[in-house]
Amino acid sequence: MPRQRATAASLTSVPGRFVIVTGLSGAGKSQAIHALEDLGYFCVDNLPTALIPTLGFLATRAGSDLEKVAIVVDVREGSFLADFPKLFRKLKRSRLSPVLVFLEARESVLVRRFSETRRPHPLALNRPVREGIREETRRMRPIRAMADEIVDTSTLTVHDLRAVFRGLASGAKVARPLQITLVSFGFKHGLPPEADLVFDVRFLPNPHFVPRLRPLTGRDDAVVRFMETRGATGEAVGRFGALLQYLVPQYAAEGKTYLTVAIGCTGGRHRSVYVAEAIRSVLEALPDVGVHVRHRDIAGADE
């Protein structure tokens, strides 16, 4: 079976009746198994590695009711890292023809997800989560290299993930646009670690120094009018927009599925917020992209 890579144009193109889902902890394996259950798969979570061939035999036995099977296996099972590669290569040579799907996400996203759930990482029970993520990423590389599908879930919603596995079940190509996140921020609060591109707009006129505008934000009409009447603002937005109009298709052509553009001013309340909202309208006019805006420091201290 030819190996498939998740791209912006096509996430899945291989029909699977015996699907093995693995990947990094926090990347969405639980949501994936729920999606496969909804699609009619018989699903087993955290199946011991040694039992995978047994379940495969039952699935291929004549008269079996197990027409479609999906399992989740990962580092929670002690022998997984050592035993799975050899076992999977053997299964690939059988008539079972399993499909291996590897789920991953950006490190910053995984850290946030563990923080939100307040659960320890399985490889770092008494250590910082980030250390466990990095160790797991390193140790999972050989298994990742064997995958038929690699899906980055950093920007996927539950509905997006369901669409991925619907395509896997049917063999249809699933189109997913490049997801662009515009993040406004204040430099005095630190750079967003997830940023792919950073634009510094501290050269623009600052509404903070206008007393009536100081308590407002870049989304308020009075601040918008202030920014729009300053000549440098329109030119800056136009140049930033033109650069992104050029870059976005290049990133999409290389198979990038997400892009985070950070726009910073001093405090993250006025100029960066305004510019992020202005660039949003430029990007939304592009074909095959999804645009999201997050104002990280809009509620922070004054500039």
Side-chain angles (χ1 to χ4, degrees):
M1 181 183 298
R3 188 163 185 257
Q4 301 293 323
R5 286 283 184 165
T7 67
S10 170
L11 280 177
T12 52
S13 58
V14 182
R17 60 181 302 271
F18 194 91
V19 178
I20 301 174
V21 180
T22 189
L24 303 181
S25 301
K29 296 187 294 292
S30 296
Q31 289 80 1
I33 208 72
H34 293 321
L36 287 164
E37 282 180 343
D38 292 344
L39 294 169
Y41 279 77
F42 174 79
C43 298
V44 183
D45 190 9
N46 201 22
L47 182 72
T49 305
L51 295 181
I52 296 175
T54 302
L55 185 58
F57 168 76
L58 294 174
T60 56
R61 189 175 58 178
S64 172
D65 293 332
L66 301 177
E67 294 183 1
K68 295 189 297 184
V69 175
I71 61 175
V72 169
V73 289
D74 54 35
V75 295
R76 292 174 293 172
E77 202 267 304
S79 64
F80 170 71
L81 288 168
D83 297 345
F84 182 80
K86 181 178 179 180
L87 183 147
F88 184 71
R89 283 191 290 267
K90 185 176 180 179
L91 289 178
K92 274 292 196 182
R93 295 192 295 267
S94 72
R95 65 191 183 96
L96 186 63
S97 297
V99 173
L100 179 61
V101 181
F102 190 97
L103 303 184
E104 61 185 20
R106 298 196 304 269
E107 181 180 298
S108 60
V109 173
L110 294 175
V111 170
R112 188 190 74 235
R113 290 175 182 174
F114 274 100
S115 176
E116 290 172 349
T117 61
R118 299 186 178 181
R119 296 178 60 192
H121 191 282
L123 295 184
L125 298 179
N126 299 304
R127 294 183 292 148
V129 165
R130 196 177 297 274
E131 292 184 13
I133 292 170
R134 291 175 179 174
E135 180 181 347
E136 184 180 32
T137 299
R138 176 181 58 81
R139 295 174 66 182
M140 289 287 280
R141 282 174 187 156
I143 296 172
R144 183 184 186 275
M146 303 173 72
D148 299 287
E149 295 280 353
I150 299 173
V151 181
D152 189 312
T153 68
S154 298
T155 61
L156 293 183
T157 66
V158 173
H159 301 295
D160 293 332
L161 197 58
R162 180 182 172 86
V164 168
F165 285 99
R166 185 183 299 115
L168 182 66
S170 66
K173 291 183 181 293
V174 178
R176 184 166 68 88
L178 171 64
Q179 301 296 315
I180 304 173
T181 301
L182 298 170
V183 182
S184 71
F185 74 97
F187 276 96
K188 71 178 183 180
H189 302 298
L191 284 167
E194 70 274 20
D196 297 301
L197 298 171
V198 177
F199 294 154
D200 183 349
V201 298
R202 287 176 292 185
F203 62 90
L204 294 176
N206 193 347
H208 171 76
F209 297 113
V210 180
R212 65 183 178 84
L213 301 180
R214 186 173 301 174
L216 304 179
T217 76
R219 293 189 297 188
D220 289 303
D221 290 341
V223 174
V224 171
R225 287 194 295 270
F226 173 89
M227 298 300 297
E228 288 180 344
T229 57
R230 272 58 184 177
T233 304
E235 183 174 355
V237 170
R239 289 179 180 269
F240 289 148
L243 176 61
L244 289 170
Q245 285 176 321
Y246 167 74
L247 290 176
V248 166
Q250 312 303 319
Y251 285 129
E254 286 298 311
K256 195 171 182 65
T257 56
Y258 59 87
L259 177 69
T260 300
V261 181
I263 303 162
C265 58
T266 304
R269 284 176 51 83
H270 297 113
R271 294 168 290 180
S272 62
V273 172
Y274 167 82
V275 173
E277 293 289 348
I279 291 178
R280 180 214 295 257
S281 61
V282 174
L283 295 179
E284 286 179 337
L286 296 176
D288 300 322
V289 299
V291 183
H292 313 274
V293 176
R294 179 165 64 91
H295 300 302
R296 192 192 72 177
D297 301 322
I298 196 170
D302 292 341
E303 296 188 32

